[in-house]
Short mmCIF file of all heavy atoms in Angstrom, two decimals:
data_model
loop_
_atom_site.label_atom_id
_atom_site.label_comp_id
_atom_site.label_asym_id
_atom_site.label_seq_id
_atom_site.Cartn_x
_atom_site.Cartn_y
_atom_site.Cartn_z
N THR I 351 28.72 22.62 -18.01
CA THR I 351 28.07 21.97 -16.96
C THR I 351 28.95 21.66 -15.84
O THR I 351 28.52 21.06 -14.76
CB THR I 351 27.45 20.69 -17.40
OG1 THR I 351 28.34 19.76 -17.98
CG2 THR I 351 26.30 20.95 -18.51
N SER I 352 30.21 22.08 -15.76
CA SER I 352 31.23 21.77 -14.80
C SER I 352 31.21 20.34 -14.51
O SER I 352 31.14 19.89 -13.28
CB SER I 352 30.96 22.60 -13.45
OG SER I 352 30.89 23.99 -13.95
N SER I 353 31.29 19.52 -15.45
CA SER I 353 31.17 18.00 -15.24
C SER I 353 32.37 17.28 -15.69
O SER I 353 33.20 17.85 -16.53
CB SER I 353 29.95 17.49 -16.03
OG SER I 353 28.75 18.14 -15.62
N LEU I 354 32.54 16.03 -15.31
CA LEU I 354 33.55 15.17 -15.69
C LEU I 354 33.05 14.02 -16.50
O LEU I 354 31.90 13.57 -16.15
CB LEU I 354 34.42 14.60 -14.54
CG LEU I 354 35.25 15.63 -13.73
CD1 LEU I 354 35.78 14.92 -12.54
CD2 LEU I 354 36.35 16.21 -14.55
N PRO I 355 33.67 13.56 -17.48
CA PRO I 355 33.18 12.32 -18.27
C PRO I 355 33.42 11.03 -17.38
O PRO I 355 34.49 10.96 -16.71
CB PRO I 355 33.98 12.27 -19.48
CG PRO I 355 35.36 12.91 -19.11
CD PRO I 355 34.93 13.98 -18.12
N ALA I 356 32.61 10.09 -17.42
CA ALA I 356 32.96 8.82 -16.82
C ALA I 356 34.14 8.09 -17.54
O ALA I 356 34.09 8.09 -18.76
CB ALA I 356 31.69 7.87 -16.87
N PRO I 357 35.15 7.77 -16.89
CA PRO I 357 36.39 7.27 -17.49
C PRO I 357 36.01 5.98 -18.30
O PRO I 357 35.25 5.15 -17.86
CB PRO I 357 37.32 6.94 -16.27
CG PRO I 357 36.39 6.79 -15.16
CD PRO I 357 35.18 7.70 -15.39
N ALA I 358 36.75 5.85 -19.44
CA ALA I 358 36.56 4.71 -20.28
C ALA I 358 36.79 3.48 -19.61
O ALA I 358 36.09 2.42 -19.84
CB ALA I 358 37.42 4.87 -21.45
N ARG I 359 37.72 3.42 -18.61
CA ARG I 359 38.07 2.21 -17.88
C ARG I 359 36.81 1.69 -17.01
O ARG I 359 36.84 0.54 -16.52
CB ARG I 359 39.28 2.35 -17.00
CG ARG I 359 39.11 3.47 -15.96
CD ARG I 359 40.34 3.69 -15.14
NE ARG I 359 40.24 4.86 -14.37
CZ ARG I 359 39.56 4.99 -13.24
NH1 ARG I 359 38.89 4.05 -12.73
NH2 ARG I 359 39.63 6.13 -12.51
N ALA I 360 35.96 2.57 -16.66
CA ALA I 360 34.82 2.25 -15.82
C ALA I 360 33.82 1.30 -16.58
O ALA I 360 33.00 0.64 -15.91
CB ALA I 360 34.08 3.54 -15.34
N PHE I 361 33.76 1.38 -17.85
CA PHE I 361 32.82 0.61 -18.59
C PHE I 361 33.38 -0.79 -18.89
O PHE I 361 34.44 -0.94 -19.32
CB PHE I 361 32.49 1.29 -20.00
CG PHE I 361 31.94 2.64 -19.85
CD1 PHE I 361 32.66 3.77 -19.58
CD2 PHE I 361 30.50 2.87 -19.99
CE1 PHE I 361 32.17 4.99 -19.51
CE2 PHE I 361 29.95 4.05 -19.88
CZ PHE I 361 30.75 5.15 -19.62
N LYS I 362 32.54 -1.73 -18.46
CA LYS I 362 33.03 -3.20 -18.52
C LYS I 362 32.32 -3.91 -19.79
O LYS I 362 31.22 -3.49 -20.15
CB LYS I 362 32.77 -3.90 -17.26
CG LYS I 362 33.34 -3.30 -16.11
CD LYS I 362 34.89 -2.96 -16.20
CE LYS I 362 35.43 -2.39 -14.90
NZ LYS I 362 36.83 -2.09 -14.99
N VAL I 363 32.91 -4.86 -20.29
CA VAL I 363 32.31 -5.68 -21.40
C VAL I 363 31.39 -6.76 -20.83
O VAL I 363 31.87 -7.56 -19.92
CB VAL I 363 33.30 -6.34 -22.25
CG1 VAL I 363 32.79 -7.17 -23.39
CG2 VAL I 363 34.23 -5.21 -22.82
N LYS I 364 30.19 -6.88 -21.27
CA LYS I 364 29.23 -7.81 -20.69
C LYS I 364 29.52 -9.14 -21.37
O LYS I 364 29.68 -9.29 -22.66
CB LYS I 364 27.83 -7.32 -21.03
CG LYS I 364 26.75 -8.14 -20.22
CD LYS I 364 25.39 -7.48 -20.48
CE LYS I 364 24.38 -8.07 -19.50
NZ LYS I 364 24.58 -7.65 -18.13
N ALA I 365 29.62 -10.22 -20.56
CA ALA I 365 29.79 -11.54 -21.14
C ALA I 365 28.62 -12.07 -21.94
O ALA I 365 27.47 -11.59 -21.74
CB ALA I 365 30.10 -12.52 -19.96
N SER I 366 28.89 -12.96 -22.87
CA SER I 366 27.85 -13.52 -23.67
C SER I 366 26.83 -14.34 -22.66
O SER I 366 27.29 -14.91 -21.74
CB SER I 366 28.43 -14.56 -24.72
OG SER I 366 29.23 -13.82 -25.49
N HIS I 367 25.52 -14.29 -23.11
CA HIS I 367 24.55 -14.91 -22.24
C HIS I 367 24.45 -16.33 -22.24
O HIS I 367 24.03 -17.00 -21.25
CB HIS I 367 23.21 -14.21 -22.47
CG HIS I 367 22.69 -14.22 -23.84
ND1 HIS I 367 22.33 -15.40 -24.51
CD2 HIS I 367 22.49 -13.23 -24.63
CE1 HIS I 367 21.86 -15.10 -25.70
NE2 HIS I 367 21.99 -13.82 -25.93
N GLY I 368 24.73 -17.00 -23.35
CA GLY I 368 24.68 -18.44 -23.45
C GLY I 368 23.34 -19.01 -23.82
O GLY I 368 23.27 -20.27 -24.03
N PHE I 369 22.30 -18.23 -23.91
CA PHE I 369 21.00 -18.79 -24.47
C PHE I 369 21.00 -19.12 -25.90
O PHE I 369 21.68 -18.38 -26.71
CB PHE I 369 19.86 -17.80 -24.18
CG PHE I 369 19.49 -17.67 -22.75
CD1 PHE I 369 19.98 -16.60 -21.99
CD2 PHE I 369 18.64 -18.65 -22.12
CE1 PHE I 369 19.65 -16.51 -20.58
CE2 PHE I 369 18.32 -18.51 -20.76
CZ PHE I 369 18.85 -17.42 -20.00
N GLN I 370 20.40 -20.25 -26.34
CA GLN I 370 20.39 -20.62 -27.76
C GLN I 370 18.85 -20.81 -28.14
O GLN I 370 18.03 -21.14 -27.26
CB GLN I 370 21.20 -21.93 -27.97
CG GLN I 370 22.67 -21.63 -27.62
CD GLN I 370 23.50 -22.98 -27.79
OE1 GLN I 370 22.97 -23.88 -28.46
NE2 GLN I 370 24.74 -22.97 -27.28
N LYS I 371 18.65 -20.76 -29.42
CA LYS I 371 17.35 -21.00 -30.00
C LYS I 371 16.81 -22.39 -29.63
O LYS I 371 17.56 -23.35 -29.54
CB LYS I 371 17.36 -20.93 -31.52
CG LYS I 371 17.54 -19.46 -32.03
CD LYS I 371 17.47 -19.45 -33.54
CE LYS I 371 17.72 -18.13 -34.09
NZ LYS I 371 17.73 -18.06 -35.52
N ASN I 372 15.53 -22.51 -29.32
CA ASN I 372 14.76 -23.67 -29.00
C ASN I 372 14.97 -24.17 -27.57
O ASN I 372 14.40 -25.24 -27.11
CB ASN I 372 15.13 -24.86 -29.92
CG ASN I 372 14.80 -24.51 -31.39
OD1 ASN I 372 13.77 -23.95 -31.61
ND2 ASN I 372 15.68 -24.79 -32.33
N MET I 373 15.77 -23.45 -26.75
CA MET I 373 15.85 -23.73 -25.33
C MET I 373 14.53 -23.39 -24.66
O MET I 373 13.92 -22.42 -24.95
CB MET I 373 17.01 -23.00 -24.64
CG MET I 373 18.35 -23.59 -24.98
SD MET I 373 19.67 -22.67 -24.03
CE MET I 373 21.15 -23.64 -24.41
N ARG I 374 14.17 -24.25 -23.73
CA ARG I 374 12.89 -24.00 -22.90
C ARG I 374 13.24 -23.36 -21.58
O ARG I 374 14.24 -23.65 -20.92
CB ARG I 374 12.07 -25.29 -22.75
CG ARG I 374 11.59 -26.07 -24.04
CD ARG I 374 10.77 -25.06 -24.90
NE ARG I 374 9.83 -25.87 -25.75
CZ ARG I 374 10.12 -26.33 -26.90
NH1 ARG I 374 11.22 -26.27 -27.43
NH2 ARG I 374 9.13 -27.01 -27.64
N LEU I 375 12.28 -22.60 -21.09
CA LEU I 375 12.44 -21.93 -19.80
C LEU I 375 11.10 -21.39 -19.28
O LEU I 375 10.12 -21.66 -19.93
CB LEU I 375 13.40 -20.72 -19.90
CG LEU I 375 13.01 -19.52 -20.78
CD1 LEU I 375 14.01 -18.34 -20.45
CD2 LEU I 375 13.12 -19.85 -22.24
N GLU I 376 11.03 -20.73 -18.07
CA GLU I 376 9.89 -20.17 -17.61
C GLU I 376 9.98 -18.68 -17.53
O GLU I 376 10.97 -18.07 -17.08
CB GLU I 376 9.63 -20.74 -16.12
CG GLU I 376 9.51 -22.25 -16.18
CD GLU I 376 9.36 -22.85 -14.72
OE1 GLU I 376 9.34 -22.09 -13.78
OE2 GLU I 376 9.32 -24.09 -14.72
N VAL I 377 8.93 -17.95 -18.10
CA VAL I 377 9.10 -16.53 -18.21
C VAL I 377 7.71 -15.90 -17.73
O VAL I 377 6.63 -16.30 -18.01
CB VAL I 377 9.25 -16.16 -19.73
CG1 VAL I 377 9.40 -14.64 -19.96
CG2 VAL I 377 10.49 -16.89 -20.30
N VAL I 378 7.95 -14.76 -17.10
CA VAL I 378 6.81 -13.93 -16.60
C VAL I 378 6.05 -13.40 -17.86
O VAL I 378 6.76 -12.79 -18.82
CB VAL I 378 7.25 -12.78 -15.71
CG1 VAL I 378 6.10 -11.83 -15.45
CG2 VAL I 378 7.82 -13.30 -14.42
N ASP I 379 4.76 -13.42 -17.92
CA ASP I 379 4.02 -12.88 -18.99
C ASP I 379 3.79 -11.39 -18.76
O ASP I 379 3.08 -10.94 -17.81
CB ASP I 379 2.57 -13.55 -19.10
CG ASP I 379 1.77 -13.10 -20.34
OD1 ASP I 379 2.11 -12.06 -20.89
OD2 ASP I 379 0.82 -13.72 -20.62
N LYS I 380 4.56 -10.54 -19.54
CA LYS I 380 4.56 -9.03 -19.19
C LYS I 380 3.15 -8.44 -19.43
O LYS I 380 2.85 -7.46 -18.88
CB LYS I 380 5.59 -8.41 -20.10
CG LYS I 380 5.25 -8.28 -21.61
CD LYS I 380 6.25 -7.46 -22.29
CE LYS I 380 5.94 -7.35 -23.81
NZ LYS I 380 6.90 -6.48 -24.48
N ARG I 381 2.30 -9.16 -20.25
CA ARG I 381 1.02 -8.59 -20.46
C ARG I 381 0.04 -8.92 -19.34
O ARG I 381 -1.03 -8.28 -19.02
CB ARG I 381 0.41 -9.13 -21.71
CG ARG I 381 1.13 -8.74 -23.00
CD ARG I 381 0.61 -9.37 -24.21
NE ARG I 381 1.36 -8.97 -25.40
CZ ARG I 381 2.52 -9.56 -25.83
NH1 ARG I 381 3.00 -10.50 -25.04
NH2 ARG I 381 3.07 -9.03 -26.88
N ASN I 382 0.34 -9.92 -18.49
CA ASN I 382 -0.34 -10.25 -17.24
C ASN I 382 0.63 -10.86 -16.30
O ASN I 382 0.71 -11.98 -16.01
CB ASN I 382 -1.39 -11.32 -17.67
CG ASN I 382 -2.43 -11.59 -16.53
OD1 ASN I 382 -2.34 -10.87 -15.50
ND2 ASN I 382 -3.40 -12.35 -16.77
N PRO I 383 1.34 -9.86 -15.61
CA PRO I 383 2.52 -10.37 -14.86
C PRO I 383 2.41 -11.21 -13.59
O PRO I 383 3.33 -11.59 -12.98
CB PRO I 383 3.26 -9.00 -14.53
CG PRO I 383 2.10 -8.00 -14.56
CD PRO I 383 1.17 -8.45 -15.63
N VAL I 384 1.08 -11.49 -13.29
CA VAL I 384 0.82 -12.42 -12.26
C VAL I 384 1.12 -13.87 -12.74
O VAL I 384 1.38 -14.77 -11.91
CB VAL I 384 -0.72 -12.35 -11.72
CG1 VAL I 384 -1.56 -12.83 -12.80
CG2 VAL I 384 -0.85 -13.08 -10.51
#
Side-chain angles (χ1 to χ4, degrees):
T351 56
S352 302
S353 304
L354 292 173
R359 60 179 170 77
F361 297 81
K362 307 302 179 183
V363 178
K364 197 174 189 70
S366 300
H367 53 66
F369 289 99
Q370 298 178 13
K371 291 182 181 179
N372 299 318
M373 284 182 174
R374 301 300 209 275
L375 66 166
E376 299 176 2
V377 182
V378 173
D379 184 345
K380 69 175 184 179
R381 297 174 180 85
N382 194 357
V384 68

